[in-house]
Amino acid sequence: MDVKRSLTRQSLAVAGVCAVTDTGLFLTLGPPPGWELALLLGWLLVADAALAAPARFSGFVTLAHAALVLVSCMVLSDFDGMRVPNNSGLLVAGFHAGAWLRPVQAGLALLAVIGALLASVAVAGRYDGDWRVVLFAGVIPNAVLPWLVGRYTTARRAYLAELEAEAEQRRRDERVAVQRAVAEERSAVARDLHDMISHHVSAISMHAGAARLGVADDGPVRRSLAEVESASRSAMADLRRMLDLLHGHDPGPRNQPGLSTVDELIDGVRAAGLPVRLTVRGTPVTVPGSLDIALYRIVQEALTNALRHGGGQVEVDVAYRPEGLTVAVVNDIGAAPQRTASRLGLRGIRERVAVFGGDVSYGPDGGRWRTVVSIPLEHP
């Protein structure tokens, strides 16, 4: 919109300059005042003002200027001074005809201007038989040259637009090629993950199941093996979902973990020998699926750290508040939270929370390690 207004202002400025220049020269070099002068001045002002009209009227504007050239020579045939009062307007009209009209219309407008100039020379009676003067002093500089400049401007503008279109097409092709390469790389990574991990996880599940069946009594060993078998199957399910994502397939919302399945996660940790107490405060609300999965993964990471590096009683506190949701996991401090693996897990928690605009804090608190995550919730 700003470009359109700028072009409108510029066209008005060109029309105004032509009107002032042609009027000033005509009043300076023209005939004495009279009704003929008033008519020509009116025609001149209207024709020059029409130079600011839209491009689709360029042919009519050029014809008006060509007719003005012919009529002014007929009216001023007895006057020895200037007989072409619209010299500036004629040049701009010829340029507009060459730049904005289609080839056939532009050619007809050029012929009209050339015909008007030749007719004005014949009417003035100044043609002395030297056609070169008429050609090089009248027709070429006042009709052909501005028309050719207009055609060149249009051709150059079309050429630049073609170059921009080709460059944009190349950019689109490059983006498509990059996306294709990324998709192929993701597929290769997915295949490698499947080859490297799924066999070993399946072997773990199979051996755990075989060992569980080989234990006679229903004691802690049998229950631990059952948990290993169950955890292996869960790991395989999560792995398949991740592989689907890497392949570009939507695994769908089915069997997705969330806060509603935290009990199952805690049961697995309890079966591994770590006592966990879950507390839910407030009225549970429905959260977006992506946030639900992220909170589950955060609790899973915190419990994994407690299982590996902590000890004692682990407390998981989920609090639903009007302003948001808070998840806190507290366990005994061990030496391992300072290790690289634990810090990578904490960094993963930070990244998950940052996606949803929440806050996370963790650190020692009275001899225990506390991880607190706060997520704001949008309410309708």
Side-chain angles (χ1 to χ4, degrees), residues 94-316:
F95 172 83
H96 285 178
W100 291 344
L101 296 180
R102 295 180 178 179
V104 175
Q105 298 173 342
L108 293 176
L110 176 62
L111 291 177
V113 175
I114 293 176
L117 290 174
L118 293 177
S120 67
V121 172
V123 171
R126 294 185 176 184
Y127 180 60
D128 56 2
D130 192 350
W131 60 270
R132 293 171 298 179
V133 176
V134 177
L135 181 63
F136 297 126
V139 174
I140 291 179
N142 293 291
V144 178
L145 184 60
W147 186 87
L148 287 176
V149 173
R151 300 306 294 175
Y152 167 77
T153 302
T154 300
R156 182 175 182 274
R157 184 165 56 245
Y159 175 69
L160 293 177
E162 182 179 356
L163 291 180
E164 292 178 358
E166 292 177 355
E168 180 61 27
Q169 183 62 41
R170 284 196 299 271
R171 286 192 291 268
R172 286 196 295 266
D173 293 341
E174 291 173 356
R175 286 195 295 267
V176 171
V178 170
Q179 293 172 358
R180 185 183 301 113
V182 170
E184 293 175 355
E185 183 65 21
R186 291 172 64 177
S187 297
V189 171
R191 289 191 299 269
D192 292 340
L193 282 175
H194 183 273
D195 294 340
M196 290 186 298
I197 299 177
S198 62
H199 172 73
H200 298 291
V201 175
S202 298
I204 292 172
S205 178
M206 181 183 65
H207 288 295
R212 177 177 57 82
L213 295 175
V215 177
D217 60 332
D218 190 13
V221 175
R222 186 181 180 90
R223 289 194 298 271
S224 295
L225 291 174
E227 289 298 331
V228 171
E229 188 178 2
S230 176
S232 300
R233 288 195 296 267
S234 298
M236 282 300 301
D238 290 341
L239 178 60
R240 290 192 183 96
R241 281 194 292 269
M242 294 302 297
L243 293 179
D244 286 337
L245 290 175
L246 288 174
H247 278 300
H249 304 303
D250 185 6
R254 295 177 298 176
N255 299 324
Q256 291 286 357
L259 290 178
S260 61
T261 59
V262 168
D263 289 335
E264 300 175 6
L265 177 64
I266 291 177
D267 290 340
V269 176
R270 287 170 180 163
L274 185 65
V276 181
R277 184 177 64 185
L278 173 64
T279 303
V280 179
R281 293 181 293 161
T283 303
V285 297
T286 302
V287 298
S290 56
L291 175 59
D292 201 22
I293 297 174
L295 292 172
Y296 178 90
R297 297 302 183 192
I298 290 171
V299 175
Q300 185 181 43
E301 179 63 33
L303 291 177
T304 301
N305 289 336
L307 184 62
R308 290 178 179 177
H309 313 302
Q313 178 77 27
V314 179
E315 298 176 1
V316 179

Side-chain angles (χ1 to χ4, degrees), residues 59-73:
F60 300 105
V61 175
T62 304
L63 291 177
H65 278 276
L68 179 59
V69 172
L70 182 59
V71 171
S72 63
C73 288

Side-chain angles (χ1 to χ4, degrees), residues 298 326-330 349 353 359-363 370-374:
I298 290 171
T326 300
V327 177
V329 180
V330 183
I349 292 176
V353 173
D359 298 320
V360 59
S361 61
Y362 47 80
R370 179 183 296 272
T371 302
V372 181
V373 171
S374 298

